[in-house]
Amino acid sequence: MGLYLNGKSAYTLYQKDFSLTYFVDKTDILDELIPLLELKTDVSGNAGFGRGKSPEYICITRPRRFGKTVMANMVASFFGKGADSSGIFDHLRAAGYEWYQRHLNQHNVIYIRFNEMPNNCRSYERYIARIERGLITDLRKAYPDAEIEKEDDVWDALNKAFEYGDGDKFIFVIDEWDYIYHQDFMTDEEKRLFTRFLSILLKDQPYVEMVYMTGILPISKYSKGSELNMFFEFSMAVGEKYREYFGFTDEEVDELYRRYIEVETEPKVTREELRLWYDGYQIMPGKRLYNPRSIVGALSFNQIGNYWTNSGPYDEIYHTVRHADAKMKEEIGLLMSGTPVHANVQEYASTSMELNTRDEIYSAMVVYGFLSYAEGFVSIPNKELMDKFSDMVRQRPGFGYMGRLAQESGKMLRATLEGDTGTMVDILERVHNTESPLVRYSNEAELSKVITFVYLQARDYYDIRLEDRSGTGYVDFIFYPYKKEDDGIIIELKVDDTAKGAIRQIKDRRYIQNFDGKLGEEPRCTGRILAVGIAYDRKDEKKRHECKVEVLRERLG
């Protein structure tokens, strides 16, 4: 047992996680890793596929605070010989598998957290020397007869352990493998040296039983050649495998919320708020993930908040999009209005650290967790991130036109609530008369895109649903207030018709029923219910709009 080899730290940290109220059992991932240890044939099943790759080399990249370290601690504490972890795993789903006793604490594990650095470290040489020295010390203690010298390279020492230790092999669990690349003291040459270090340590070595490696960015960002091509990579953008283990599923959040209701004497967070604020990362058709840090934060502190976005640099989204051209900035406007945008993020487009092209920027935003990606389209996954995008557009001068539109959206909401149709018309016509292609329209679908943006600030106060089934039809927009006492809003759009006709449709098709809630439930809104009709006549040379606001129901109580 040592600092890196069969240490106790992973078990101690996982034991702490296991004891938390909002712990989630993700040990089913072990059932996908065990076959990699026992597999004797090529997983590809056909010649030429995955050339140079081995199934026991797994690299999983996820955004910060998405559970990578918890999972690494779990994997290391299950396989490693350093501590008897049966007291934890006997109570988890892993215990139900036939392989459980065969692999529990039966493997040599080398666990390296590459985000740990010497105090006041300002050089790569000092950083890597600490790791090498620790590994050599552990191996000399574990294999006293292997004639390992202090001056040996780590891979030479491991090969001696393999030869003199009756073919002993090692599972490498590597967390935050790409951390060092982001340190400001690292030169390009030192980055190449670190990549080479990993390659010699892990690639084609007889002592490697499996490598489970996590990081934030894909390997292709750092390795242009074949140094690390033995890894199969699984990121936010590529592949469904392993996705459900990094983030919380609907079923898991249901269970966490049940615990929350049991332990919290005055619960202030609703299940629906958790969905609106933190859901939205698609892992397969019809199945999405919640941000784990934010869910745990909201339930632990009994308050909805920006727990994930506030854990990173203030301007991290802007830093990613700062090279976006005018067209892409308009697309960001569409994303903020709730409209998905087509993007090619199947591969992380750039092997440099600079992000210049549209696809490079969108790919990075998916990998960093700022956008969700599904079926060729990117979107802003939830309200927590929508708030971050809104702040960026309003505060950064580079988004001048978009920022002005965002400011107008606050005026539009106030005018709607006050029934000030003159101001509503004025805002719509100013937007329509700009030269931006974002706001040119000739039918209801295009008008709808404009409405979603001129009501952008309303997303701070409302869950806005588009084309929502209501009454006997589908309403164009329905605004469900986050605070039940606020006013609800129903918007119907008409092109080549009148605002009065739009109001009539809202009434005739009984769209108001959506605010009543399901049978036996309380109303979704106790404030007023407003019907809003917005119309535009394409034949009108003056491009005039018409708006009408009616109160369908006064405040309850």
Side-chain angles (χ1 to χ4, degrees):
M1 291 183 283
L3 181 63
Y4 297 112
L5 173 59
N6 293 330
K8 296 179 181 179
S9 61
Y11 168 73
T12 302
L13 292 169
Y14 191 62
Q15 187 179 45
K16 180 180 178 181
D17 291 326
F18 174 71
S19 68
L20 297 176
T21 302
Y22 300 115
F23 169 81
V24 173
D25 180 358
K26 294 283 190 177
T27 56
D28 287 326
I29 194 176
L30 295 169
D31 192 48
E32 302 196 44
L33 298 179
I34 296 293
L36 305 183
L37 296 173
E38 300 179 342
L39 197 60
K40 303 300 181 185
T41 58
D42 180 10
V43 291
S44 67
N46 59 83
F49 175 81
R51 188 175 301 279
K53 300 181 186 295
S54 298
E56 69 270 21
Y57 290 87
I58 300 297
C59 179
I60 298 174
T61 56
R62 289 295 185 274
R64 56 178 170 74
R65 304 294 184 178
F66 258 70
K68 299 187 299 296
T69 297
V70 173
M71 294 298 286
N73 288 336
M74 185 273 289
V75 171
S77 58
F78 175 80
F79 287 117
K81 296 178 179 179
D84 178 2
S85 58
S86 60
I88 294 176
F89 288 97
D90 282 353
H91 302 282
L92 299 177
R93 285 197 293 270
Y97 289 97
E98 58 85 19
W99 43 254
Y100 177 63
Q101 293 295 340
R102 192 163 68 248
H103 289 281
L104 178 66
N105 305 138
Q106 297 300 308
H107 298 261
N108 291 308
V109 169
I110 293 176
Y111 185 18
I112 306 175
R113 301 180 189 87
F114 276 111
N115 61 341
E116 294 180 347
M117 300 180 66
N119 188 36
N120 297 321
C121 181
R122 298 300 305 165
S123 73
Y124 169 69
E125 183 177 358
R126 188 174 176 213
Y127 169 82
I128 203 66
R130 173 181 177 272
I131 295 170
E132 292 175 318
R133 185 169 59 249
L135 281 169
I136 292 293
T137 300
D138 288 353
L139 290 166
R140 281 167 57 85
K141 289 181 178 179
Y143 297 92
D145 299 327
E147 300 182 3
I148 298 172
E149 305 293 339
K150 290 182 179 180
E151 298 77 16
D152 282 347
D153 287 325
V154 171
W155 35 87
D156 290 334
L158 286 162
N159 272 306
K160 286 182 179 180
F162 174 78
E163 296 294 344
Y164 289 94
D166 297 325
D168 280 10
K169 293 189 174 187
F170 305 87
I171 293 176
F172 287 79
V173 177
I174 296 174
D175 193 26
E176 302 290 356
W177 80 276
D178 55 341
Y179 175 84
I180 190 61
Y181 293 103
H182 304 284
Q183 303 311 303
D184 55 12
F185 61 77
M186 288 286 285
T187 67
D188 289 342
E189 176 60 23
E190 287 170 336
K191 292 174 183 178
R192 286 191 290 270
L193 287 174
F194 180 67
T195 303
R196 182 173 177 271
F197 170 82
L198 287 178
S199 179
I200 299 174
L201 176 67
L202 302 173
K203 187 174 183 179
D204 297 330
Q205 294 286 9
Y207 53 74
V208 173
E209 187 172 20
M210 182 177 74
V211 181
Y212 175 91
M213 188 165 81
T214 74
I216 293 179
L217 295 181
I219 289 172
S220 61
K221 292 298 290 182
Y222 314 103
S223 176
K224 299 179 183 179
S226 61
E227 300 102 329
L228 301 177
N229 70 345
M230 66 283 198
F231 279 98
F232 282 98
E233 293 187 70
F234 303 89
S235 73
M236 291 285 278
V238 180
E240 295 179 359
K241 194 173 181 64
Y242 304 120
R243 283 192 176 186
E244 67 269 31
Y245 305 116
F246 299 88
F248 294 157
T249 65
D250 255 318
E251 296 78 11
E252 289 166 343
V253 174
D254 286 342
E255 170 57 24
L256 293 179
Y257 192 74
R258 184 190 64 76
R259 294 181 210 168
Y260 165 75
I261 294 299
E262 289 178 354
V263 303
E264 193 63 54
T265 55
E266 296 183 14
K268 299 177 181 178
V269 176
T270 68
R271 179 63 179 85
E272 179 66 7
E273 283 179 314
L274 294 179
R275 183 191 66 79
L276 293 171
W277 274 78
Y278 309 126
D279 191 13
Y281 295 97
Q282 184 158 330
I283 57 174
M284 60 187 68
K287 195 163 187 177
R288 304 170 82 84
L289 283 180
Y290 293 71
N291 186 302
R293 177 181 174 86
S294 294
I295 289 291
V296 172
L299 299 182
S300 298
F301 297 107
N302 196 24
Q303 182 178 344
I304 290 292
N306 297 312
Y307 296 101
W308 184 70
T309 55
N310 285 346
S311 69
Y314 174 75
D315 60 349
E316 59 184 346
I317 294 181
Y318 176 75
H319 181 77
T320 308
V321 304
R322 66 189 188 281
H323 295 308
D325 60 18
K327 183 177 184 301
M328 186 174 178
K329 288 178 180 177
E330 287 180 350
E331 290 180 346
I332 291 172
L334 289 175
L335 289 170
M336 293 171 62
S337 72
T339 304
V341 171
H342 183 268
N344 177 22
V345 296
Q346 285 300 318
E347 297 292 341
Y348 200 58
S350 175
T351 56
S352 72
M353 295 306 290
E354 291 296 324
L355 302 172
N356 296 305
T357 71
R358 176 183 181 275
D359 285 338
E360 286 171 2
I361 294 170
Y362 279 137
S363 295
M365 294 177 81
V366 171
V367 168
Y368 284 130
F370 303 147
L371 296 177
S372 181
Y373 175 72
E375 299 176 355
F377 288 83
V378 293
S379 59
I380 299 175
N382 51 48
K383 187 179 185 310
E384 182 177 19
L385 277 158
M386 186 68 76
D387 286 353
K388 198 75 171 179
F389 275 89
S390 296
D391 289 345
M392 175 186 68
V393 166
R394 284 195 288 257
Q395 297 171 13
R396 286 289 180 172
F399 286 85
Y401 163 72
M402 303 296 296
R404 289 192 298 274
L405 274 181
Q407 294 294 340
E408 291 291 309
S409 71
K411 299 177 184 177
M412 187 71 172
L413 177 61
R414 288 193 297 273
T416 302
L417 294 173
E418 295 168 2
D420 182 356
T421 55
T423 297
M424 293 170 66
V425 167
D426 182 55
I427 291 172
L428 283 169
E429 291 181 353
R430 285 206 309 272
V431 169
H432 185 236
N433 290 337
T434 67
E435 296 180 357
S436 170
L438 172 66
V439 292
R440 294 176 184 167
Y441 50 83
S442 58
N443 54 46
E444 287 185 20
E446 293 172 357
L447 174 58
S448 175
K449 291 181 180 179
V450 177
I451 298 303
T452 58
F453 202 78
V454 296
Y455 280 103
L456 175 63
Q457 201 168 99
R459 292 181 178 275
D460 292 341
Y461 311 99
Y462 291 90
D463 174 21
I464 301 178
R465 305 286 182 89
L466 283 68
E467 296 290 338
D468 201 30
R469 184 168 183 82
S470 183
T472 60
Y474 289 86
V475 61
D476 285 330
F477 292 88
I478 190 162
F479 290 26
Y480 298 105
Y482 292 133
K483 295 181 179 179
K484 290 178 61 175
E485 62 270 22
D486 288 347
D487 295 340
I489 302 172
I490 302 169
I491 299 178
E492 187 65 28
L493 309 177
K494 292 294 180 184
V495 171
D496 297 338
D497 203 335
T498 64
K500 184 176 180 180
I503 297 286
R504 185 185 312 112
Q505 180 172 319
I506 292 173
K507 294 177 177 178
D508 291 348
R509 298 190 180 181
R510 301 192 296 278
Y511 291 156
I512 194 174
Q513 289 181 357
N514 270 33
F515 286 99
D516 294 337
K518 296 178 182 178
L519 187 64
E521 293 181 347
E522 293 183 359
R524 300 183 67 169
C525 169
T526 59
R528 299 179 303 164
I529 305 296
L530 305 181
V532 178
I534 298 176
Y536 175 73
D537 187 348
R538 289 175 293 182
K539 298 185 291 293
D540 187 341
E541 295 181 357
K542 295 184 178 181
K543 302 180 180 179
R544 286 174 296 194
H545 294 67
E546 182 188 9
C547 296
K548 185 175 178 62
V549 179
E550 282 191 19
V551 178
L552 297 180
R553 190 199 72 194
E554 293 291 350
R555 185 178 302 277
L556 298 178

